[in-house]
Amino acid sequence: MGSPAQPTDTEVAAAAALAGAAVVRARFGRLHSRVDKGFGDFATDADLAAERAILDVIRAARPGDAVHGEEGGRQGAADAEREWLVDPLCGTLNYATGSRLVAVNVVLRDGPAAVADPFSGEVFVTDGETARLRSGAQAGERRLAPTADTRLVDVNLDPPFPNAPGFRAVDLLAHPGFVQNFRPRVVSTTLALAWVPAVAAGPAEPLRRGVRAGSRSSGARRADDRCR
């Protein structure tokens, strides 16, 4: 018998993102420990555990590759030709306040990438040429294509602001022309980006479509109330 086929880089990215998403989902709603990163930024124990789960998948499938995690930094051989970039929990502040608008991101530098939604079971994948959406373990894939017709806009209010003081995204929220045509929402940055082609690709289940089209989170519960 021949040896089993090696997974593609796209499959590795998807599997790693789903592994991290499983950890994020399992720890949701708990009292989390807080790891301060400076300048008001922080991670939680869920960020750290999800990153470990992601790295386990990548190391098993691609032991010669380097990995750069948001929480753990760069690991692996200094002369490695390939490097994976990992954001184990995009939307930590949302997560800490009890909002489910978060994502798990895994990308091979200059290669495939995957964004997993821990609570919907969806994973958005790209091989660098096309993008696809996988929904559930047994579901097929649906090809995605971005379009301006969705009128979805991601306003990133999370510092740092590289274009300040010339331009700050927060100023858009007070601009009459902007608020006349768009409605602001609070969401994980990468999840918002992935939703744009997903909505354009075809009809979604009503509740999910409503979330994608204009969800907002008040953030009424402070992160400090759930992080210790």
Side-chain angles (χ1 to χ4, degrees):
M1 295 180 61
S3 59
Q6 288 292 313
T8 66
D9 289 332
T10 304
E11 291 168 340
V12 172
L18 287 171
V23 173
V24 171
R25 183 171 58 253
R27 291 175 176 245
F28 181 73
R30 300 183 185 179
L31 184 66
H32 298 287
S33 60
R34 174 172 176 149
V35 180
D36 286 311
K37 300 165 69 172
F39 303 101
D41 195 13
F42 67 93
T44 70
D45 56 287
D47 296 69
L48 303 180
E51 185 165 297
R52 288 193 296 269
I54 293 167
L55 266 58
D56 285 346
V57 173
I58 296 174
R59 286 169 175 161
R62 299 291 188 268
D65 292 356
V67 180
H68 194 131
E70 179 176 342
E71 311 309 334
R74 194 179 192 277
Q75 302 177 47
D79 58 351
E81 295 183 357
R82 299 172 13 126
E83 182 181 41
W84 295 82
L85 308 177
V86 173
D87 180 356
L89 180 48
C90 178
T92 298
L93 180 57
N94 282 357
Y95 188 79
T97 57
S99 169
R100 300 187 178 204
L101 294 173
V102 301
V104 176
N105 309 317
V106 178
V107 57
L108 176 62
R109 186 183 292 275
D110 299 323
V115 175
D117 183 334
F119 300 103
S120 72
E122 296 173 325
V123 58
F124 304 83
V125 297
T126 177
D127 57 8
E129 298 292 335
T130 62
R132 300 177 304 282
L133 168 62
R134 299 177 183 175
S135 300
Q138 304 301 322
E141 293 183 347
R142 179 159 56 97
R143 186 165 178 170
L144 306 177
T147 172
D149 293 341
T150 63
R151 301 184 68 79
L152 295 183
V153 176
D154 177 29
V155 181
N156 191 347
L157 305 180
D158 196 19
F161 304 109
N163 297 316
F167 172 79
R168 292 171 63 95
V170 68
D171 295 334
L172 286 175
L173 302 181
H175 192 285
F178 180 82
V179 298
Q180 181 178 352
N181 293 284
F182 302 99
R183 293 294 181 268
R185 60 204 174 96
V186 178
V187 70
S188 154
T189 303
T190 49
L191 198 56
L193 182 64
W195 279 349
V196 173
V199 173
E205 181 267 323
L207 177 60
R208 296 292 301 156
R209 178 162 30 187
V211 169
R212 287 175 176 156
S215 175
R216 296 186 299 165
S217 173
S218 66
R221 286 173 291 180
R222 297 171 58 244
D224 290 344
D225 294 334
R226 288 179 171 259
C227 294
R228 293 290 185 269

